Amino acid sequence: MKNKYFVSIVGKSNVGKSTLINHLCEQYVTSESSKPETTRLNIIAETMLDDLNLIIIDTPGLSIKDSDLLSTAMKNSYLKSLEELDLLIILSDITKSKNFEKNILDIIKTEKTKAVIVINKIDLFSEKLTEYQEFKKCIIKLFKEQVFFISLRNHEGLSSFIKNGILKELRNSKIKNKRKFDKKRNELIEIQELIRGVIINNTYQELPYDAAVMINKSTNAKSVYKIDASIFVDKINQRKILIGSNGDMIKLIGSKSRNLLESKYNKKFYLKLNVCVKKNWKNNYSFLKEIGYIA
């Protein structure tokens, strides 16, 4: 357990949490999308930064205003993830108000959790240097914690953030978290959420966030990783959208998911997908527990 640090990335929807995690891990870990509620579970990834072993936790988007059981479970999952962290990265961007970030800082005061503020999308300032400098002054004045300004799009400021933010903060602190995590369970969560990310990115506006993926059976053999999964939707017409004309959409989802999985795990995948209708599943406690959205 030497040099294992738990790091959590929090922020409102669409600020770049998944993109940042994928950058730090140098591989596809979790869904990147401009759509809210892309990540529903605390996806955990393990990576090395210099000599430090990091367990990185991605958190569900917290700008969700729905009052269903799923949304409540996501918010509770987020709050639980703040416990026993070695470092909290609070990610925002230049387009968002900063009340959310200030509220997070108030929450973690009792836990004495170290935090850094990261402001993404500075590339949107383009050549407006004076405006950018004024923005930086306002942000630095607003927060007492260290603030880093980055662009995940063009990688500006990332090396400084990693060196002087993540690595410096962790090297100057003792390991706080001694817990272990279930690698097998986390791997299945990653696979299930990767498939759901493919669904989101390929159904566009036709399918709202009423899709969930559950792995029914998995066999990780030497030659091939076999996954049998069900995709649940709320309505019959949503099932028709996912299947598509002559099964074209489900074939596309299966093909893209398989390619991502094989690239991520460097292994052959056999993927079987079945689309099911389960009405009002977002408020079904036993189903949400079975699928892993409620602990």
Side-chain angles (χ1 to χ4, degrees):
M1 200 66 182
K2 184 180 179 181
N3 285 344
K4 275 200 174 183
Y5 297 88
F6 277 73
V7 177
S8 183
I9 301 177
V10 300
K12 298 182 76 172
S13 295
N14 306 328
V15 294
K17 297 187 301 294
S18 297
T19 307
L20 178 57
I21 288 179
N22 291 340
H23 175 82
L24 293 175
C25 296
E26 297 183 335
Q27 62 173 318
Y28 184 101
V29 174
T30 182
S31 305
E32 299 179 22
S33 175
S34 60
K35 304 174 183 181
E37 202 179 320
T38 302
T39 305
R40 281 188 181 152
L41 292 170
N42 289 342
I43 303 298
I44 301 175
E46 188 168 4
T47 190
M48 292 292 298
L49 287 183
D50 280 3
D51 59 328
L52 301 187
N53 193 354
L54 271 59
I55 307 298
I56 301 178
I57 304 172
D58 186 18
T59 56
L62 294 177
S63 59
I64 302 161
K65 297 179 181 179
D66 293 343
S67 58
D68 56 50
L69 189 57
L70 172 61
S71 298
T72 302
M74 289 172 65
K75 292 170 186 175
N76 289 340
S77 178
Y78 150 72
L79 291 172
K80 188 175 181 181
S81 75
L82 293 179
E83 300 173 2
E84 300 180 342
L85 288 177
D86 296 298
L87 180 65
L88 179 66
I89 298 171
I90 303 176
L91 185 62
S92 184
D93 69 39
I94 67 168
T95 69
K96 301 287 193 298
S97 68
K98 301 299 176 280
N99 290 332
F100 170 84
E101 290 76 13
K102 293 179 74 175
N103 288 336
I104 298 300
L105 291 172
D106 288 339
I107 291 172
I108 66 172
K109 280 181 181 178
T110 56
E111 302 293 337
K112 297 181 179 179
T113 302
K114 286 192 173 185
V116 293
I117 309 292
V118 184
I119 309 297
N120 185 27
K121 303 182 183 179
I122 60 171
D123 54 283
L124 295 181
F125 279 105
S126 187
E127 298 178 358
K128 301 175 182 177
L129 183 59
T130 302
E131 189 177 329
Y132 175 51
Q133 294 299 334
E134 288 300 316
F135 172 80
K136 285 183 70 175
K137 288 179 182 178
C138 291
I139 293 297
I140 292 170
K141 186 177 180 180
L142 182 64
F143 297 111
K144 294 181 180 179
E145 281 70 17
Q146 194 170 13
V147 182
F148 294 89
F149 299 87
I150 68 170
S151 169
L152 286 166
R153 175 177 291 179
N154 60 26
H155 294 180
E156 184 179 352
L158 280 174
S159 59
S160 175
F161 160 55
I162 292 171
K163 179 181 177 181
N164 300 311
I166 298 176
L167 296 176
K168 185 177 179 180
E169 288 291 344
L170 292 178
R171 287 198 173 106
N172 290 335
S173 63
K174 294 181 180 179
I175 294 176
K176 184 178 178 182
N177 198 318
K178 301 296 183 181
R179 65 173 171 162
K180 295 181 180 180
F181 68 95
D182 189 334
K183 288 189 176 182
K184 175 62 177 177
R185 180 181 180 278
N186 185 68
E187 183 173 279
L188 293 178
I189 288 174
E190 284 185 346
I191 292 171
Q192 123 184 350
E193 291 299 285
L194 182 148
I195 296 170
R196 199 175 66 85
V198 171
I199 293 170
I200 290 173
N201 290 326
N202 286 276
T203 52
Y204 305 104
Q205 301 299 322
E206 296 176 297
L207 187 69
Y209 296 94
D210 287 338
V213 178
M214 180 168 67
I215 295 177
N216 306 313
K217 186 178 180 181
S218 67
T219 305
N220 192 355
K222 186 176 181 180
S223 58
V224 64
Y225 203 143
K226 295 183 179 180
I227 297 291
D228 183 320
S230 293
I231 303 170
F232 291 91
V233 291
D234 195 60
K235 301 172 183 177
I236 294 175
N237 69 308
Q238 293 171 347
R239 182 177 185 273
K240 292 178 180 178
I241 291 171
L242 276 178
I243 293 175
S245 178
N246 299 317
D248 290 345
M249 179 56 73
I250 196 64
K251 289 177 183 176
L252 178 67
I253 292 168
S255 175
K256 290 196 172 186
S257 297
R258 185 169 59 252
N259 289 339
L260 283 172
L261 289 167
E262 289 181 346
S263 175
K264 176 176 173 57
Y265 293 100
N266 195 27
K267 192 169 190 175
K268 188 75 175 176
F269 267 76
Y270 170 78
L271 187 60
K272 180 182 178 182
L273 297 177
N274 181 45
V275 185
C276 309
V277 176
K278 193 173 188 68
K279 293 184 178 181
N280 200 30
W281 66 265
K282 286 186 177 182
N283 285 300
N284 187 323
Y285 179 87
S286 59
F287 176 76
L288 292 175
K289 189 173 180 65
E290 183 180 9
I291 209 169
Y293 289 157
I294 292 179

